[in-house]
Amino acid sequence: MKIQKNLLIGLVKSRLNILSLINPSLARKEVMRLFCTPLVRYKGKPADIFLKSEALEFKLDDLSIRGFRCNHPSLKKLLILHGFSSSCHKFEHFVKPLVKLGYEVLAFDAPAHGRSDGKQVNALVYAEMIKKIQTLYGPINAYIGHSFGGLAACFALESLQSLPATKLVLIAPAADTTTAIDNAFAMLKLRNKKLRQMMDDEILALSGNETSWFSIRRAIKNIDAEVLWIQDENDLITPMKDALKVKDDNHGHVNFCITKGLGHQKIYHDRTVMDTIINFLGK
């Protein structure tokens, strides 16, 4: 498996390096496509708790987005937002505790994930999905976002009219897109500075914003919600250094919970972390 992975990385690296020399325009598009394509699409067994709930489906442009609604109708509503290459089904353990708090729980697979349509996704598309869910099934009182889902939640919330006392839980959020791109280039062993600049150029061309604009540190000051940010010191995917920049900004509406030894995936399964989230949402 490791040999196959290294071989694939080598092929991708060679292709991009060659494209950057002979067709820079195509290289720009290809590197962007790779960055926006999930590594895997979750096709595991659907969570029983969702199968026993109401299945939902709606259109986001020409894509069918599929998910579930549990404990409908309720006075309070919460939306779960999974990370990159993940699925709402991986967050089934949140549902029962949230229902006990009186929440109606909404959970969807993002575009290009799980059982939703699409082959690529970026944070702005994910944010548009969140805003569409708010329109169709809201108003939403609380959000839980892991990793990429946390970044998308912040982009959505800074342009949504939040309810009074809205709560946002960020679990190991992808705080800085520049860091995410640098990590992706490191994983692919791409040291081509020209290609790296092409990525920034493509983001600017597509969105009208520099890569640095796509950060939670910028967005969070525009969010009218009480925020619980849970971060592990040993997270190699969304590193502590990016979270500390936000922590050092001392926003009054952002509370931090720092863990150690849980990394990027175990953190949202940890019992103590779960209790912290439930206590925060139950206030």
Side-chain angles (χ1 to χ4, degrees):
M1 184 65 72
K2 187 175 181 181
I3 294 174
Q4 291 175 328
K5 180 181 176 182
N6 289 337
L7 180 60
L8 179 60
I9 288 174
L11 289 172
V12 170
K13 179 181 176 181
S14 296
R15 172 177 164 77
L16 289 175
N17 283 329
I18 292 169
L19 276 177
S20 69
L21 295 172
I22 64 174
N23 193 333
S25 178
L26 183 59
R28 258 175 59 168
K29 289 179 171 53
E30 180 66 7
V31 75
M32 187 68 176
R33 184 191 68 79
L34 282 171
F35 185 72
C36 296
T37 301
L39 299 174
V40 295
R41 182 185 284 265
Y42 179 79
K43 295 181 180 178
K45 182 181 179 293
D48 288 340
I49 199 160
F50 288 132
L51 291 179
K52 295 173 183 176
S53 303
E54 179 186 2
L56 299 175
E57 182 175 339
F58 66 90
K59 285 288 187 180
L60 183 68
D61 295 326
D62 61 341
L63 302 178
S64 289
I65 304 300
R66 299 178 177 92
F68 303 90
R69 177 164 60 182
C70 311
N71 197 35
H72 174 74
S74 299
L75 294 177
K76 301 185 297 182
K77 301 182 182 184
L78 180 144
L79 176 61
I80 294 173
L81 301 159
H82 65 78
F84 202 68
S85 296
S86 186
S87 166
C88 66
H89 291 279
K90 293 190 176 183
F91 292 79
E92 60 176 308
H93 54 291
F94 279 92
V95 178
K96 286 184 179 179
L98 292 170
V99 168
K100 281 187 178 180
L101 290 180
Y103 281 102
E104 174 181 313
V105 180
L106 294 153
F108 292 83
D109 285 332
H113 289 77
R115 288 160 179 80
S116 291
D117 289 350
K119 294 182 179 180
Q120 297 172 41
V121 69
N122 60 55
L124 293 183
V125 170
Y126 202 167
E128 287 303 313
M129 186 195 88
I130 295 167
K131 289 188 273 188
K132 186 72 176 283
I133 293 168
Q134 171 77 280
T135 299
L136 292 173
Y137 308 111
I140 296 171
N141 306 83
Y143 303 79
I144 296 175
H146 175 243
S147 194
F148 183 52
L151 178 66
C154 289
F155 291 163
L157 283 173
E158 68 173 336
S159 62
L160 283 172
Q161 184 67 42
S162 297
L163 293 172
T166 295
K167 293 188 175 183
L168 170 62
V169 178
L170 299 173
I171 308 173
D176 192 296
T177 299
T178 299
T179 297
I181 295 172
D182 288 343
N183 286 345
F185 268 65
M187 183 191 73
L188 292 171
K189 300 178 182 178
L190 278 169
R191 299 178 181 86
N192 187 325
K193 292 182 179 180
K194 185 178 178 182
L195 267 177
R196 181 64 186 83
Q197 184 59 51
M198 285 179 180
M199 184 74 181
D200 289 336
D201 292 344
E202 187 69 3
I203 289 172
L204 179 60
L206 291 172
S207 69
N209 292 300
E210 302 280 353
T211 304
S212 59
W213 185 90
F214 295 93
S215 75
I216 293 181
R217 188 181 188 189
R218 179 204 59 77
I220 206 159
K221 62 180 180 291
N222 303 318
I223 294 173
D224 185 17
E226 185 180 357
V227 181
L228 172 63
W229 186 313
I230 301 174
Q231 180 72 39
D232 192 79
E233 291 181 1
N234 305 117
D235 194 325
L236 300 178
I237 306 298
T238 57
M240 183 74 176
K241 65 179 179 65
D242 290 338
L244 287 177
K245 292 174 186 176
V246 182
K247 191 173 187 294
D248 290 343
D249 289 338
N250 284 316
H251 295 290
H253 65 303
V254 184
N255 302 292
F256 279 83
C257 173
I258 307 300
T259 64
K260 187 172 183 177
L262 297 176
H264 193 66
Q265 302 296 340
K266 291 181 181 178
I267 192 167
Y268 67 86
H269 290 284
D270 182 75
R271 183 70 259 174
T272 301
V273 168
M274 284 284 298
D275 290 343
T276 300
I277 292 171
I278 295 304
N279 289 336
F280 171 74
L281 294 171
K283 290 179 185 176

